[in-house]
Amino acid sequence: MSQQGYVAAPPYSQSQPGIGGFSAGFGPPNSALHYGHYGDPNSSYSAPQPGVSKSTVPFGSSAPVGPPPPGTHQFSQTNFQNGPSTPGQQPHRFQGPPPPSSTGPSYPPYSHQSQPAYPNTVSTSPTAQLANQLNSMQINSYGPGTTPSSRMSSGHPASFQGPQLPPPTQQQIALPPGSQVPPPANNVNGLCAQPPLPPVARQDGIPGPVPADPNLQQLSGQPPGPGYHPQPANYGPQMAGSQLSYPGAFPGGLAQLPGPQQKKLDPDSIPSPIQVIENDKASRGGQIYATNTRGQVPPLVTTDCVIQDQGHASPRYIRCTTYCFPSSSDMAKQARVPLAAVIQPFAIVPPNETPLYVVNHGETGPIRCNRCKAYMCPFMQFIEGGRRYQCGFCNCINDVPPFFFQHLDHIGRRIDHYERPELSLGSYEYVATLDYCRNNKPPKPPAYIFMIDVSYRNVNSGLVKLICDELKTLLDKLPREEQEESSAIRVGFVTYNKVLHFFNVKSSLAQPQMMVVSDVGEVFVPLLDGFLVNFQESRSVVINLLDQIPEMFADTNESETIFAPVIQAGMEALKAAECAGKLFIFHSSLPTAEAPGKLRNRDDKKLLNTDKEKTLFQPQVNSYEALARDCVANGCCVNLFLFPNQYVDVASMGLVTMYTGGTLYKYNNFQLDADSPQFLSDLRKDVEKKTGFDAIMRVRTSTGFRATDFFGAIYMNNTTDVEMAAVDCDKAVTVEFKHDDKLNEDSGALIQCAVLYTSISGRRRLRIHNIGLNCSSQLADVYKTCETDALTNFFAKSAFKAILSQPLKTVREILVNQTAHMLACYRKNCASPSAVSQLILPDAMKVLPVYVNCLLKSCVLVGRPEIPTDERAYHRQLVMSMGVADTQLFFYPQLLPIHSLDLKGDTVPAALRCSEERLSEGGAFLLANGLSMFLWLGVSTPPELIQGLFNVPSFAHISTEATSLPDLDNPFSKKLKSILEHIQSRKPYTMKLIIVKQREQPEMLFRQFLVEDKSIYGGASYVDFLCCVHKEICQLLS
């Protein structure tokens, strides 16, 4: 398998009949271009630098190493989705008009009833969509093995007769001829429409305008089913407002595609994220991936494999946006590929992989470089017979401490190399000495404090009783080290409304005692002894208290609450006990009572799409920022469970959670019956999570580059130390690097991440992760080793950070421009010459446009009055701490056809692309994105399937109120349940199941997750966005 990533396979590895001619500047005039990261001064498209050889070889032209992966044949492919079947036979898609529909009209959003649900079947209604294809735009995706001489001219006449097989990994997309595209009424979507091309599209001997095929009209003017917004047949309403190259300020009303409906690219002919995922699974799934080579590209996050640490950190801990850094800053500015690493230091390792070894050097502590303080690792070079070592990061020569001395073998490697984790592994832990502890004293085990809002609504809804009942069993499951019998974590309890109630649950008491703190302006902790206790020792008193709390406040009519003093009280309690810990706060309303941190309702829709919109994402009062700083300084992490039924100002209330490494959970309009399972599952997962407390992270690099920006649920007091009151297995920090000198191609770029933390048993530890990347003066090498999923994570976090200080319109434009810039630079410097009209994508980045478009359509970056401000602030906060696997699923959900389950085998059906075209009336589909999960049922779902899943006779009997499937003893139900559990087990948040029936109102919500389609809020479809990016690239290159 060639190292640079994934061989493009069908449907985009074969050339489609296609021909040239996008006018370079079509669509609206381009708004001012912004380049670079948010606020980057580098605002011009730089020509190749003198020191950089401009590669004319297409990307990846070196011979692939080893045989091609199974399933991706390099040459004559005889079975692929949208092209020739066998040489000499007409391509299936070009066989004239579709058969007349015998099943009556199909509704526009769905294809025909008879259409199977798989992407590779030719769908009935748009069968002949491409029949009159001439050329407008082509995509070429170069994979290994393509050479300029073997490339076919762009509009090969042969492709209309018996198909001649083109070179392997080249892909071309053609838009319908311009002669039939009437100029759009207005650029409704603010997106680039297809350009009115000259009346005659001539190339390569295909003469004249092709007459429009009357059979190609899709059923576009029919009434949509109930629950849909009306969909005008050909043109949307004319709209006022600024026209942008990407919907920057989606102007009023529903945006419609300009031009007749059938004039669009065939979605099967553009790069598919699902195909990329499936190809990687086919070639690398189930195998052992050894991390023994610097700069190798790991399998995708979606591929299951066994990772063997052989000197570089597992991709579970560190993933990079590219595994080959450009050797100079000029080159980096030219390519504009972000250089970043997504670090998840406490990631969960599956049971079939080795857990981290712990290295203990006793009182001397870890061995470190005298100059740069890097920790001993595989990148240190031993010299002078093993008496000294040269630091791989700063090149300083250090003496080896006598106790650590060992002789070298014939290749200069220590004899004990494989016996010492710190010399042979990419990741390991050190036992830290007192020098690494607060005040040079050994830490105490952490504490968990449960703080329950007992205002009228929470008591009345049954929430307070639910929490108390759950805690009785949950406290037996507090996390502990493997070798310990019981958990060392101590627990404490507080309830509050306008005042605070502390409870003494000392084991010697017969009854718990309550102490009320009514001075919420200057919070103090009324008791030390008996507040934080070991649950096993005080079990009877704690259980007694949890029984009493719901009764104690049963008659309350207090509806006002405080919030900041609650956090303050928890932090003061941990500070007084001299330990780190977590606060679990269960809260439901805007804190309006007179107290520090009091908030007002400031949700103002008039601010949307103005320069002041950013204030909605900033805290309303400064006190929360100061409180967060104090919490971090005292190792106090805040987990917040919100149960709002109206605006609660998540941007302010969630701030302390964000800065302290905590997790925010939100259950809108919480209903005891429907929402308890989701909430209790989240609470259990959170309490049981392995976590590091009072943590500080430092990222060191070898000479020539350094870490400049950090994104995550973190607090930064200075430019280098990442502080986290706690860090759990799901939290990731994304780190951006910049050059400060030239990099050496021989020594590469080395990164060491060290996290100092307190374990759940109260031991101070250092967790070290090391990774080595390559460096190159060839841009093609940088593009070849990019990882789209890590790039998506970086772009999401940097954009979500930028909206705090810049208008959304600017942030969106920067994203589009940076995407276009990266692809234009590849086109200019790495791809072989071709017509301007061709869109050429690097193999490793060919699905980047899909993900960037999904990001642009996320509710955070779309200012629309229908989207609650709290929902946007909530999503922004969640994404800021996500790892690569979580952002991948969040932005491009998984869509599974469950009507085609294999009941005998263990396999899960192959995922489908997230588009309405993939749904069929006779099918049932599961969609999950890590936060939400939908089961969509077509109107013609087979009765036996409905009976098997819901135990009701027909579609009409299915209740959409249910939030889980009934437990039924049949193979179908069991199989689906196991798939649901499997998807759920990998994600930090519990997804509540929403059952959606075709053509009923809740379908509107479901359709927002079909991310390849146009969004109801005006975001572009994938096809349109590709045109848009192509237009930007043409402008950059012209």
Side-chain angles (χ1 to χ4, degrees), residues 340-623:
V342 187
I343 304 173
Q344 203 164 329
F346 285 82
I348 291 175
V349 170
N352 58 352
E353 290 175 21
T354 318
L356 295 193
Y357 288 98
V358 179
V359 178
N360 189 349
H361 286 322
E363 287 177 15
T364 52
I367 297 168
R368 304 177 68 175
C369 168
N370 291 329
R371 184 195 289 158
C372 71
K373 301 295 181 217
Y375 294 86
M376 178 55 67
C377 69
F379 306 144
M380 304 299 190
Q381 186 65 45
F382 289 89
I383 52 175
E384 296 179 20
R387 286 188 295 279
R388 305 174 95 180
Y389 69 92
Q390 182 170 17
C391 173
F393 297 92
C394 70
N395 298 322
C396 173
I397 308 278
N398 297 271
D399 290 328
V400 172
F403 82 90
F404 196 67
F405 173 78
Q406 185 54 272
H407 293 286
L408 308 184
D409 64 13
H410 64 289
I411 55 169
R413 182 190 279 166
R414 284 172 56 121
I415 294 168
D416 62 354
H417 177 84
Y418 290 107
E419 290 152 37
R420 290 195 178 270
E422 71 272 38
L423 299 182
S424 56
L425 298 179
S427 302
Y428 42 88
E429 288 202 328
Y430 278 116
V431 172
T433 54
L434 289 181
D435 304 343
Y436 294 89
C437 301
R438 214 182 264 273
N439 307 326
N440 288 23
K441 286 188 347 203
K444 293 180 180 168
Y448 284 2
I449 304 176
F450 297 91
M451 313 183 92
I452 306 169
D453 163 1
V454 288
S455 59
Y456 172 79
R457 219 186 98 219
N458 279 8
V459 173
N460 219 27
S461 69
L463 181 62
V464 172
K465 185 173 187 333
L466 180 74
I467 294 166
C468 291
D469 288 348
E470 177 62 28
L471 287 177
K472 291 179 206 169
T473 54
L474 189 54
L475 293 175
D476 276 322
K477 298 178 186 146
L478 291 170
R480 56 187 171 86
E481 301 276 5
E482 264 89 25
Q483 65 278 12
E484 292 177 357
E485 282 180 26
S486 65
S487 174
I489 292 172
R490 290 169 298 161
V491 293
F493 303 89
V494 173
T495 56
Y496 66 94
N497 38 43
K498 268 166 78 166
V499 296
L500 290 149
H501 321 107
F502 285 78
F503 296 93
N504 183 346
V505 282
K506 201 173 176 181
S507 56
S508 55
L509 295 173
Q511 282 284 333
Q513 297 170 349
M514 177 164 100
M515 300 188 182
V516 179
V517 175
S518 52
D519 179 5
V520 291
E522 289 292 324
V523 179
F524 67 97
V525 181
L527 76 159
L528 284 179
D529 189 29
F531 177 61
L532 292 178
V533 297
N534 178 304
F535 175 63
Q536 303 304 340
E537 291 168 11
S538 296
R539 175 187 292 272
S540 59
V541 192
V542 171
I543 300 283
N544 199 334
L545 169 68
L546 294 171
D547 283 335
Q548 287 181 33
I549 287 175
E551 294 161 20
M552 211 184 296
F553 299 100
D555 302 327
T556 186
N557 53 8
E558 183 54 77
S559 59
E560 282 199 309
T561 56
I562 54 175
F563 183 65
V566 181
I567 298 176
Q568 183 82 32
M571 181 196 72
E572 296 290 350
L574 292 174
K575 189 176 174 180
E578 296 182 339
C579 70
K582 261 190 206 183
L583 311 182
F584 291 81
I585 303 179
F586 306 92
H587 189 93
S588 68
S589 58
L590 198 66
T592 51
E594 280 306 324
K598 173 185 173 178
L599 298 174
R600 60 184 169 77
N601 186 337
R602 53 151 183 180
D603 191 16
D604 185 357
K605 301 291 183 197
K606 290 199 284 296
L607 299 180
L608 298 181
N609 297 309
T610 70
D611 281 357
K612 288 195 173 147
E613 183 171 6
K614 56 179 177 269
T615 58
L616 295 174
F617 295 103
Q618 298 163 358
Q620 191 182 133
V621 289
N622 294 335
S623 52

Side-chain angles (χ1 to χ4, degrees), residues 741-791:
D741 202 353
K742 262 185 95 75
L743 298 179
N744 181 327
E745 293 192 34
D746 295 334
S747 52
L750 310 179
I751 298 168
Q752 182 178 80
C753 164
V755 185
L756 175 65
Y757 73 99
T758 301
S759 72
I760 42 179
S761 55
R763 297 191 178 91
R764 206 69 175 146
R765 292 267 172 87
L766 275 155
R767 181 169 282 219
I768 314 289
H769 297 298
N770 305 286
I771 190 167
L773 309 175
N774 288 334
C775 299
S776 175
S777 56
Q778 301 291 325
L779 280 168
D781 294 335
V782 177
Y783 282 98
K784 194 156 52 176
T785 58
C786 281
E787 185 181 301
T788 295
D789 296 328
L791 281 166

Side-chain angles (χ1 to χ4, degrees), residues 863-894:
R864 288 288 293 227
E866 304 93 323
I867 306 173
T869 307
D870 272 349
E871 205 57 24
R872 298 173 70 197
Y874 175 59
H875 281 189
R876 178 186 169 272
Q877 183 155 336
L878 298 194
V879 168
M880 286 306 286
S881 63
M882 278 184 184
V884 178
D886 291 343
T887 49
Q888 189 278 330
L889 186 69
F890 181 72
F891 289 111
Y892 196 94
Q894 190 173 23

Side-chain angles (χ1 to χ4, degrees), residues 25 42 50 60 103 120 130 158 169 191 233 271 279 302 333 384 483 586 640 759 865 893 908 915 954 967 1038:
N42 168 36
T103 50
N120 56 349
L130 293 180
T169 52
L191 246 171
N279 289 352
T302 42
K333 283 180 187 142
E384 296 179 20
Q483 65 278 12
F586 306 92
L640 179 56
S759 72
V908 173
S915 169
S954 72
D967 283 312
S1038 61

